[in-house]
Amino acid sequence: MGGDISRPAVANVHVLSDFRLRVEFDNGETRIFDAKPHLQGPWLGMLKNFGFFDCAFPNGRTVEWPEGQTIEPDVLYDNSVAIAED
């Protein structure tokens, strides 16, 4: 399923309202990721509790939560929208 195109790694993440993430990638890009469509099933569905979702942190490759949930870097990158830096 995976291609050989390497996606940038997550350098930093900021939780925004409405289950969105402001993700800073190691290639210098900053993008907004809407996590709502991905919070499905028993594992990622736990993140529907915003208090838990708010605990997101960068793990050197992607975004992770305290119980070990992650969203793959290619999903974060390919399903996010680039924002212009001021």
Side-chain angles (χ1 to χ4, degrees):
M1 182 168 133
D4 50 6
I5 298 173
S6 177
R7 295 295 185 262
V10 173
N12 206 353
V13 63
H14 303 278
V15 176
L16 305 175
S17 63
D18 202 24
F19 296 94
R20 293 175 302 136
L21 301 171
R22 181 180 188 267
V23 183
E24 299 170 17
F25 290 93
D26 65 357
N27 67 354
E29 285 187 76
T30 300
R31 301 173 71 91
I32 302 295
F33 177 78
D34 181 359
K36 286 186 304 296
H38 304 275
L39 306 183
Q40 305 290 325
W43 186 238
L44 289 180
M46 291 171 59
L47 301 176
K48 289 181 181 179
N49 174 329
F50 193 78
F52 189 63
F53 183 81
D54 194 36
C55 296
F57 62 93
N59 72 3
R61 182 176 159 271
T62 190
V63 175
E64 187 171 340
W65 285 268
E67 296 289 324
Q69 292 91 341
T70 61
I71 296 177
E72 289 301 313
D74 59 332
V75 172
L76 285 172
Y77 190 83
D78 293 343
N79 293 286
S80 59
V81 177
I83 60 172
E85 292 293 319
D86 293 336

